[in-house]
């Protein structure tokens, strides 16, 4: 629980972290992070898109960029880990993802995928830690934000979850699940006040 409390202290910095600079982008490209020029352009498109289906297509393109950013070895480790997790072999999946994040520490999908396996196992502390790392590598990672907001809601931190959903909608305005979650929190608060 102590790690979860420490992660909660880092939360404001993660929610409002700026995007990587162009110098950081060059370094990230060499260490497993996606080429930010292409990703930045996709994020600009995602932010402007008003059609939900078109926005989802752009989001999938961003996710592909993130997945492929680590190279063939990292992608293979992730595929094996996803297969193991799908078969509920969580410890095998974690071993593979541990290798991915050690070999490619700036590979955002390694951290995000490991967080998802921790979530499947009900280990919120470790999931929160990995999501924090994913968001430090890519502050616009809407998947990591979604996981983070879900944990915060589940653990009773509605104010923090609300801020994460707002940040996510700033990055991906047409994300319906985030829109619904934000409205649910606001409606619940309004109903509680009445």
């Amino acid at each position: 629980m102590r790690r979860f409390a420490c992660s909660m202290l880092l939360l404001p910095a993660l929610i409002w972290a700026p995007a990587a600079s162009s110098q950081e982008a060059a370094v990230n490209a060499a260490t497993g992070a996606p080429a930010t020029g292409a990703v930045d352009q996709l994020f600009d498109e995602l932010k402007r898109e008003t059609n939900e289906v078109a926005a989802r297509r752009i989001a999938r393109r961003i996710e592909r960029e993130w997945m492929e950013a680590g190279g063939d070895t990292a992608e293979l480790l992730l595929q094996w880990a996803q297969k193991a997790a799908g078969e509920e072999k969580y410890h095998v999946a974690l071993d593979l993802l541990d290798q991915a994040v050690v070999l490619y520490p700036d590979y955002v999908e390694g951290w995000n995928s490991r967080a998802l396996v921790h979530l499947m196992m009900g280990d919120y502390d470790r999931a929160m830690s990995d999501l924090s790392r994913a968001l430090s590598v890519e502050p616009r990672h809407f998947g990591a934000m979604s996981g983070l907001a879900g944990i915060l809601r589940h653990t009773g931190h509605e104010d923090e979850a609300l801020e994460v959903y707002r940040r996510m909608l700033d990055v991906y305005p047409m994300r319906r699940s985030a829109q619904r979650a934000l409205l649910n929190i606001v409606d619940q608060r309004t109903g509680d006040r009445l």
Side-chain angles (χ1 to χ4, degrees), residues 22 25-26 29 33-46 48 58-66 68-69 138 140:
S22 58
T36 57
V39 172
D40 287 343
Q41 182 178 353
L42 288 169
F43 270 111
D44 288 342
E45 291 175 28
L46 184 63
R48 289 189 312 268
I58 295 166
R60 281 196 297 266
R61 287 172 50 203
I62 292 169
E63 289 168 340
R64 270 195 306 275
E65 290 283 333
W66 287 334
E68 295 170 359
E138 174 51 87
R140 302 168 296 186

Side-chain angles (χ1 to χ4, degrees), residues 61-172:
R61 287 172 50 203
I62 292 169
E63 289 168 340
R64 270 195 306 275
E65 290 283 333
W66 287 334
M67 179 68 92
E68 295 170 359
D72 292 341
T73 303
E75 194 174 346
L76 189 60
L77 288 169
L78 253 63
Q79 288 171 359
W80 290 344
Q82 289 169 347
K83 184 178 185 306
E87 296 170 355
E88 297 184 12
K89 297 177 182 175
Y90 300 125
H91 293 289
V92 172
L94 287 176
D95 286 344
L96 292 163
L97 292 168
D98 288 346
Q99 291 176 43
V101 298
V102 167
L103 292 171
Y104 309 98
D106 290 328
Y107 183 42
V108 70
E109 280 309 298
W111 295 104
N112 188 57
S113 295
R114 196 167 82 165
L116 291 175
V117 174
H118 286 305
L119 278 174
M120 290 177 192
M121 297 173 71
D123 189 341
Y124 296 135
D125 290 341
R126 287 193 174 110
M128 189 84 153
S129 176
D130 286 345
L131 290 170
S132 296
R133 180 57 193 246
L135 288 168
S136 72
V137 173
E138 174 51 87
R140 302 168 296 186
H141 197 293
F142 44 83
M145 283 188 259
S146 180
L148 179 61
I151 292 171
L152 292 169
R153 284 190 80 186
H154 185 75
T155 57
H157 295 90
E158 297 283 322
D159 290 336
E160 293 86 353
L162 193 63
E163 288 305 315
V164 174
Y165 284 126
R166 285 183 178 136
R167 171 73 174 135
M168 188 183 339
L169 288 172
D170 183 51
V171 170
Y172 184 173

